[in-house]
Amino acid sequence: MKRRHRRSKPEPTIALINIVFLMLIFFLIAGTLAQSIDNTLKLVRTSNLDTVTPPDGLVIHADGRMQAGGLDVIDLDTFFAMQDDPNVRLIPDRTLPAKTLLQISADLYAAGAETILIATEREVQ
């Protein structure tokens, strides 16, 4: 007596391929339906602008030196006491270690700062 081997059901790979293909077509169409910016529009270039420190900002250099309004800041408590606003804007150097930035932020919170804003560079291309 011969035994019949049961064939396993084939995997539905064709159905999966069809679903992926339909999703691809959907995203291609959805991307083309979004309105594009007018080709005659010229965006503002900010890469060559001279930067000016905000008057209420605390500049932190890479070596940890701090300046506010062009003057050196030695004590954060004194700096915060001179502020009218409980919100402090930090302007750190790109190469400032994160540990130093976090320590300065913690010291400002301890001095009574409610919100600390960190200014960063943003460029759209």
Side-chain angles (χ1 to χ4, degrees):
M1 225 177 164
K2 287 186 177 181
R3 283 187 149 193
R4 285 188 163 181
H5 294 291
R6 285 189 175 177
R7 286 188 181 178
S8 62
K9 291 184 178 181
E11 293 291 325
T13 55
I14 292 179
L16 289 174
I17 291 171
N18 287 340
I19 291 172
V20 171
F21 180 72
L22 288 174
M23 287 176 60
L24 175 69
I25 297 298
F26 170 77
F27 286 116
L28 285 173
I29 292 172
T32 58
L33 293 179
Q35 289 184 348
S36 61
I37 297 176
D38 186 9
N39 292 338
T40 61
L41 180 69
K42 302 292 183 198
L43 296 175
V44 176
R45 285 196 184 266
T46 59
S47 60
N48 295 331
L49 291 178
D50 292 332
T51 58
V52 176
T53 305
D56 61 342
L58 177 64
V59 178
I60 308 170
H61 296 274
D63 57 0
R65 269 184 313 116
M66 294 179 282
Q67 290 182 328
L71 302 173
D72 289 338
V73 174
I74 297 173
D75 184 27
L76 287 176
D77 292 325
T78 307
F79 165 75
F80 187 72
M82 294 185 324
Q83 294 291 319
D84 296 334
D85 190 8
N87 302 322
V88 179
R89 181 176 296 159
L90 297 180
I91 306 160
D93 188 271
R94 179 185 310 223
T95 58
L96 179 73
K99 185 176 181 179
T100 306
L101 181 61
L102 290 174
Q103 182 61 48
I104 291 170
S105 299
D107 293 344
L108 285 168
Y109 278 126
E114 291 179 9
T115 305
I116 295 177
L117 306 169
I118 299 175
T120 60
E121 180 181 25
R122 182 175 156 186
E123 182 177 72
V124 178
Q125 291 188 6

